[in-house]
Amino acid sequence: MSPQDHLPKANSKMLQPKHGSLTAWQAHHIRCFKDALWRLVRKPMSAWATIFAIAVVLALPGFIMTLASQIKHIGGVWASEQGQINVFLHTQATPSDIQTFKTWLNEQPQIKSSQEITPQAGLLELANRLQIQQITTLDPNPLPTVFLIHLKDPSNQATLTLRQALSNNPLVANLSEGGEWIKRLQDISRFFDHLSWWILGLFGLTVIFVVGNTLRLELQERREELLLIGLIGGTRRYMLRPLLYDGAITGLLGGILASVLVFALLTALAAPVNQFAAGYGTQITVLPPILLSLLFGLIGLVLGWLSAQIMGINFLRKSVPA
Amino acid sequence: MIEFDGASRRFSNGHFGLQDVSFHIPEGRMVFITGHSGSGKSTLLRLIPALDHPTSGTVRIGGHDLKKMPAHQYPKLRRQIGVVFQDHHLLPNRRVFDNVALPLQVSGFLSGDIRRRTEAALDKVGLLNRQRARIDELSGGEQQRVNIARALVNRPKILLADEPTGNLDPELSREIFNQFAQFHAVGVTVVIASHDLHLLKTYAVPRIVLNQGRISHIEEAF
């Protein structure tokens, strides 16, 4: 027996819609959408207070995420700049020591390439830079042998171990390197990255509760109407639909407003932040406002819709007979 | 059409709203359910559109056991049942037209059809000229007529009325009952719960008399 067989056979006099259910479904969606927009005018205080609350709640993780991505960016630029270690050997190092050291360097997998600058070449370069040709005749040559090491990945753990090995090598007098700082910066970047996702999660939940609370009040007001709709044959989906539109539109507008706040904040801070970033040969890059609005709007819309879904289903389950 | 077979409804406090009730109302009949307040009339009516379910026994509509009907089929069942309440259950923030049109919107009619059919229903209860009025601008009698127009606007197979004249004066009550009789005359199965014995006796209609949740007797067997 099909489920339809459970129903009383339709009376020939009973009205049935002439149009396809798709047309009616579309018409109801349009009506719900218009009603949700109308609610912004009909109850401006309640609606816009919720929208502003969502905007503030979404703007903070949005701002932190943007900041985290900038730190990552600066870290990347710095890391690529610092992908070179200058190794200064002791001046007492013999040609044989230098050859041994060179062989050892060539065996290290973290090293992309290395270049030896002999004391003579160093002195010549110095003389060229200082425009003093006389110093090329200095005897003895006070400069050490220098190796310029180009690393494969300046930030990975193996490279840090290499740095450690280099500084412990008795032939090495000095190292010019920024690896620890890169590592620290990237740790900070990772921390901000994790933090921003956690904050987004927590604040996303807050959005769900904020929207949910507004919709709960709306549901209480519409309780009689929903009961009546249930009584005259409205499905749960039909009852939920206006609520989903309310939640989604509230979330969407809250998200767009959040993007405006983030953009305004970044614009306001652009000058000092860019000055800082310029020190690392980069500058702050923010998504274009439209893309930022789309992104935040989408997040707000999904959270608003989700909130309406949870709140609506819960309310209907408790208050309206199946 | 409507069949109760040993139906009982026991509430969570242990009280029986309905106890071992059995009867059968054939299609197209008009029946009164009567009894004192608290005798189980409203409980009985709520079982017909599956707004509530018997704790034991069965209720069948059109031969099908409502207990076995999947919950997602209830809306389709309810679209074929018009319900008139004593306290109207009208939406005060909407106009007369919108209140009456609601079942058609829920059933998926388009705006042109909704307008035509709603105006026809309002015309039938004499409120066509009041369609733009707000509900709180209407008298009690007018509100009840809006209630009736809404229950009948999509021509249901079954019309249920729970104390439909509870707050109305005798003349208006008679008018409302006459309207129910007209719908019965065109083939609608009408079940009216009322304790107004004086009014009920003026109609030659079978009466199921309830007392403390049980059927005390059935007058004019059908």
Side-chain angles (χ1 to χ4, degrees):
Chain A
M1 186 183 285
S2 73
Q4 195 63 35
D5 291 334
H6 285 293
L7 296 178
K9 303 233 176 332
N11 187 330
S12 59
K13 289 167 191 159
M14 165 124 186
L15 289 178
Q16 298 290 343
K18 276 183 185 172
H19 300 276
S21 55
L22 183 66
T23 320
W25 177 81
Q26 281 174 336
H28 190 232
H29 273 276
I30 292 168
R31 197 163 57 240
C32 291
F33 176 67
K34 284 180 183 170
D35 285 350
L37 291 181
W38 176 239
R39 189 176 149 268
L40 302 175
V41 180
R42 191 168 44 89
K43 291 183 177 171
M45 281 305 286
S46 141
W48 288 101
T50 308
I51 289 167
F52 272 103
I54 293 169
V56 172
V57 164
L58 281 181
L60 187 60
F63 183 68
I64 292 176
M65 282 182 122
T66 313
L67 213 59
S69 74
Q70 295 309 318
I71 290 174
K72 205 185 272 182
H73 180 62
I74 291 170
V77 170
W78 202 20
S80 66
E81 271 185 359
Q82 298 294 321
Q84 177 184 308
I85 303 176
N86 301 335
V87 182
F88 301 88
L89 301 186
H90 285 291
T91 46
Q92 299 91 330
T94 63
S96 153
D97 290 339
I98 293 168
Q99 189 54 46
T100 312
F101 184 74
K102 205 170 170 181
T103 313
W104 180 79
L105 278 186
N106 290 338
E107 288 167 357
Q108 302 308 309
Q110 303 94 323
I111 296 175
K112 193 160 65 181
S113 64
S114 63
Q115 184 194 345
E116 183 189 350
I117 301 174
T118 60
Q120 292 73 23
L123 202 59
L124 197 62
E125 191 183 332
L126 187 68
N128 284 339
R129 248 190 230 178
L130 300 174
Q131 308 267 304
I132 308 171
Q133 287 307 313
Q134 288 83 344
I135 63 170
T136 54
T137 56
L138 277 175
D139 192 25
N141 187 338
L143 295 180
T145 300
V146 178
F147 281 91
L148 304 183
I149 299 172
H150 298 278
L151 300 167
K152 281 180 183 164
D153 181 358
S155 64
N156 80 8
Q157 194 57 42
T159 308
L160 288 175
T161 314
L162 173 73
R163 284 195 178 94
Q164 198 64 43
L166 283 170
S167 43
N168 291 341
N169 193 312
L171 284 177
V172 175
N174 196 14
L175 281 182
S176 73
E177 51 95 16
E180 284 296 328
W181 279 104
I182 297 165
K183 179 79 172 52
R184 278 177 209 159
L185 191 66
Q186 286 182 339
D187 284 346
I188 291 170
S189 159
R190 258 195 297 278
F191 166 74
F192 268 99
D193 224 12
H194 285 155
L195 181 74
S196 53
W197 281 109
W198 273 102
I199 289 182
L200 184 68
L202 283 174
F203 282 39
L205 272 179
T206 311
V207 170
I208 289 176
F209 287 123
V210 168
V211 176
N213 190 49
T214 308
L215 293 177
R216 190 180 57 80
L217 299 174
E218 182 80 6
L219 278 166
Q220 289 295 346
E221 276 181 31
R222 292 178 56 192
R223 190 171 180 277
E224 284 298 311
E225 183 182 345
L226 290 171
L227 278 171
L228 181 64
I229 289 173
L231 185 69
I232 60 179
T235 59
R236 296 260 153 157
R237 231 176 285 169
Y238 183 93
M239 289 184 243
L240 265 181
R241 204 165 289 147
L243 200 70
L244 294 180
Y245 270 93
D246 275 353
I249 286 179
T250 306
L252 175 74
L253 292 177
I256 291 172
L257 200 58
S259 73
V260 173
L261 289 180
V262 170
F263 193 75
L265 199 57
L266 288 172
T267 308
L269 295 176
V273 173
N274 270 331
Q275 201 174 352
F276 168 75
Y280 301 98
T282 182
Q283 61 170 7
I284 293 291
T285 50
V286 185
L287 285 175
I290 290 181
L291 209 60
L292 206 64
S293 295
L294 276 175
L295 181 70
F296 276 84
L298 187 70
I299 293 172
L301 185 142
V302 170
L303 290 174
W305 179 87
L306 195 65
S307 173
Q309 183 84 13
I310 294 169
M311 199 54 72
I313 287 176
N314 192 39
F315 182 86
L316 291 178
R317 191 169 47 80
K318 283 183 184 166
S319 311
V320 181
Chain B
M1 180 52 139
I2 300 172
E3 201 178 338
F4 277 56
D5 187 3
S8 298
R9 175 68 175 98
R10 191 178 187 181
F11 298 115
S12 51
N13 61 5
H15 174 73
F16 275 96
L18 218 56
Q19 205 166 351
D20 195 24
V21 170
S22 300
F23 63 84
H24 174 234
I25 303 173
E27 188 170 349
R29 288 296 183 96
M30 184 167 173
V31 174
F32 292 149
I33 312 285
T34 188
H36 298 293
S37 288
S39 59
K41 302 186 293 294
S42 298
T43 306
L44 185 151
L45 285 191
R46 283 178 61 81
L47 298 182
I48 297 172
L51 292 173
D52 198 0
H53 301 282
T55 39
S56 63
T58 53
V59 176
R60 293 189 194 89
I61 306 293
H64 301 296
D65 187 348
L66 296 190
K67 230 179 195 174
K68 291 177 184 167
M69 184 183 281
H72 70 268
Q73 290 287 329
Y74 292 154
K76 285 184 184 171
L77 168 78
R78 289 173 193 153
R79 285 173 201 177
Q80 301 188 49
I81 299 173
V83 185
V84 177
F85 305 93
Q86 177 185 2
D87 54 357
H88 314 314
H89 277 58
L90 298 172
L91 304 176
N93 56 343
R94 297 205 191 179
R95 299 187 183 279
V96 168
F97 180 92
D98 300 322
N99 268 276
V100 176
L102 196 60
L104 296 173
Q105 289 172 353
V106 166
S107 299
F109 284 86
L110 291 182
S111 55
D113 274 346
I114 290 173
R115 172 149 299 282
R116 195 162 46 81
R117 295 178 199 282
T118 303
E119 285 177 355
L122 283 170
D123 192 29
K124 206 167 274 182
V125 296
L127 286 175
L128 186 57
N129 59 342
R130 302 283 279 150
Q131 62 174 304
R132 305 289 300 164
R134 286 176 62 91
I135 292 300
D136 49 17
E137 294 167 1
L138 302 181
S139 68
E142 284 174 324
Q143 287 188 15
Q144 191 59 301
R145 281 190 280 160
V146 173
N147 199 354
I148 293 169
R150 186 184 61 198
L152 292 159
V153 71
N154 59 357
R155 293 191 207 149
K157 286 184 75 172
I158 299 168
L159 177 66
L160 306 177
D162 189 7
E163 300 285 3
T165 58
N167 299 323
L168 304 179
D169 60 60
E171 195 180 334
L172 208 51
S173 299
R174 203 176 306 282
E175 190 188 316
I176 298 287
F177 266 71
N178 285 342
Q179 278 182 343
F180 288 138
Q182 281 173 29
F183 297 123
H184 164 236
V186 294
V188 179
T189 304
V190 181
V191 181
I192 301 171
S194 175
H195 65 268
D196 190 346
L197 285 174
H198 180 71
L199 185 65
L200 298 187
K201 278 176 182 168
T202 60
Y203 294 88
V205 167
R207 284 187 287 273
I208 297 171
V209 184
L210 292 175
N211 184 23
Q212 293 186 333
R214 290 177 179 273
I215 292 184
S216 135
H217 59 284
I218 297 177
E219 293 176 4
E220 294 181 52
F222 46 88

